[in-house]
Amino acid sequence: MPDTSTGSTGNTATPSRRSVLAAIAAVTTALAVRGTAHAGAAPDDARLRALVSRMTLEEKVGQLFVMRVYGHSATAPDQADIDANLKEIGVRTAAELIARYRVGGIIYFAWAHNTREPHQIADLSNGIQKASLDLPRGLPVLISTDQEHGIVARVGKPATLFPGAMAIGAGRSRSDARALGRIAGRELRAMGIRQDYSPVADVNVNPANPVIGVRSFGADPRAVAALVAAEVSGYQRSGVAATAKHFPGHGDTEVDSHTGFPVITHSRGQWEALDAPPFRAAIEAGIDSIMTAHLMVPALDDSGDPATLSRPILTGILRGELGYDGVVVTDSLGMEGVRTKYGDDRVPVLALKAGVDQLLNPPDLDLAWNAVLKAVRSGELTEARLDASILRILRLKAKLGLFHAPYVSHSGVERTVGTKAHLAAADRIAERTTTLLVNEGNLLPLSPRGHARLLVVGADPASPSGTTGPPTGVLAAALTELGFTATALSTGTAPSAATIARAVAAAREADAVVAGTYNVTAGSSQRTLVEQLVATGRPVVAIAVRNPYDVARLPSVPAFLATYSWTDVELRAAARVIAGRVEPRGKLPVAVPRADDPAQVLYPIGHGLSY
């Protein structure tokens, strides 16, 4: 199939006869997948094993790696992306990457220019599959991405974007979580993405967590477990592999494993009660893949190794005690948490020895690939150990229909991605997540008759991938559509005295003020801004657009909402709540501690007002 990665809207080019025959041969002589190509189709293990037995050692090593690659096209990326590929990987294109290393998977990123728009993504996926299937003994590629929704989404508009996990936790609806997975899975599959690194199964019990936070469904292990299982079900019924992450749990840390090496001090009993339930629920729901965490849990393994490299954790607990026999994928091997103790040549070898199947995004692929090859040739790793992981990977590819139907079409994109029905479903789900924390004197809802002129100020953090932004502009536009005259004034995450003065002057000309807050700290000038806005006497409605803990730092605000993200879908829902078009229905999925005494709870899990 020619790679027509131009973002055109016509039908994808017809596959060449050679690629069709190759795909048919793969089915008839290698896999004989029974039934249709959707999730649940059962592969024939004997044929899979025969396929593994015909692979060269180099092909086996490559099958274990999932790698990034720059460019919108598998064969004709922009020159800047060619240069980036040459610098980081030593190849020009995705096709060259596959030919040289025979990688089993490729991960898409927006920053790698893989995800410009749905038709281009579909063409890129087809080009990747063609490049691999045209090789001798070519295998389909498992294409993955991080599409958590909320603040982490690699595929943006016009694809459907949903509220993030903590917002779903506030909605408390398993059917909404399942619908999110079902719709998002259909859209990813239509673009050729068959493995999603979602849902986050971490239980966020630490308000200071810098890397998980609103990416988690909440702090109640049972509630998180139920929503994880529901979302897994939705994704996998759509024919996309869900991935529960980050095992054995990343919810109670104050260190970001991208930049440091976190240590979880939970006892074994605490781990069983707090961290394990969502992973157990994911396994019971038939989860296809589980991602490891680059952190140390001394109660589970006191060797000092991160969980990604821990045989007691991955083989002993995950496979042995929890009975999981699906695919285990590392978190990115470029993160500091896995690189602190060992060199980049040892990490992939030790991960395989620990029980990992897929090695994700090593910083130096050539070094990592050759290190695994050398380990097998030296006897440190056996070829049988590689075969066990490859068999799991091929089982998953077969289950996802990749041997039966590796290609996608433009007509499939048109029918599926960002449809009116899907966008409407996202809006309805978002309306059930907005959480009203404070409403003194029943200030909310506001009416255009009583508060016609609104000033919208706010932190305006960089808009999450693929959303419109900035938040103040999205809110002002949504409120204007609802009958108000709303003006946006971006004040930033650290407003200066001059910016605060401008906002206060503008507030005196408005009937009410809507203020978006973003991770307010004790010394944040966001506090000064909001306090001075309140001092004008104008009604002030604050919206925590990320962590709901902001409410504890702003006790003078008469009305306070939490949206758990600043994506368009959640901000529009908040506007409808402010205008009284829908009632606030969300309940806090985490406890908010007091600002002056964090050991005391200001608002408990389950708090949430309505009209």
Side-chain angles (χ1 to χ4, degrees), residues 446-497:
L446 300 181
S447 165
R449 290 192 299 272
H451 302 91
R453 297 169 301 166
L454 298 182
L455 173 67
V456 181
V457 302
D460 276 348
S463 186
S465 296
T467 61
T468 303
T472 53
V474 173
L475 272 170
L479 289 164
T480 297
E481 289 178 5
L482 292 167
F484 300 91
T485 301
T487 303
L489 175 61
S490 179
T491 49
T493 56
S496 65

Side-chain angles (χ1 to χ4, degrees), residues 356-557:
V356 158
D357 301 306
Q358 289 185 306
L359 301 162
L360 176 62
N361 207 21
D364 185 333
L365 176 60
D366 192 69
L367 179 70
W369 189 90
N370 279 292
V372 174
L373 189 65
K374 180 180 177 181
V376 178
R377 287 175 173 166
S378 70
E380 182 180 7
L381 284 171
T382 66
E383 198 163 347
R385 168 65 194 88
L386 267 59
D387 291 352
S389 285
I390 294 165
L391 185 60
R392 290 191 188 98
I393 294 166
L394 294 185
R395 282 173 181 155
L396 180 54
K397 291 182 179 183
K399 177 184 177 184
L400 297 173
L402 278 166
F403 287 92
H404 177 77
Y407 297 114
V408 293
S409 68
H410 281 269
S411 60
V413 170
E414 290 290 339
R415 288 194 307 270
T416 309
V417 180
T419 65
K420 289 183 179 179
H422 288 179
L423 295 172
D427 281 335
R428 289 194 301 271
I429 289 172
E431 288 176 351
R432 295 189 277 270
T433 69
T434 307
T435 308
L436 180 60
L437 301 175
V438 179
N439 194 22
E440 294 177 1
N442 293 321
L443 172 59
L444 291 178
L446 300 181
S447 165
R449 290 192 299 272
H451 302 91
R453 297 169 301 166
L454 298 182
L455 173 67
V456 181
V457 302
D460 276 348
S463 186
S465 296
T467 61
T468 303
T472 53
V474 173
L475 272 170
L479 289 164
T480 297
E481 289 178 5
L482 292 167
F484 300 91
T485 301
T487 303
L489 175 61
S490 179
T491 49
T493 56
S496 65
T499 298
I500 293 172
R502 284 198 302 272
V504 169
R508 292 194 174 103
E509 303 300 318
D511 297 317
V513 180
V514 177
T517 69
Y518 181 91
N519 294 0
V520 178
T521 61
S524 172
S525 57
Q526 291 182 64
R527 294 183 69 191
T528 306
L529 168 66
V530 173
E531 288 165 359
Q532 291 195 22
L533 290 170
V534 172
T536 66
R538 298 294 189 269
V540 175
V541 179
I543 304 175
V545 299
R546 184 165 181 165
N547 291 317
Y549 313 113
D550 288 2
V551 67
R553 300 282 184 188
L554 300 166
S556 64
V557 176

Side-chain angles (χ1 to χ4, degrees), residues 153-166:
R154 311 304 187 197
V155 180
K157 294 176 62 178
T160 305
L161 295 170
F162 286 89
M166 192 168 284

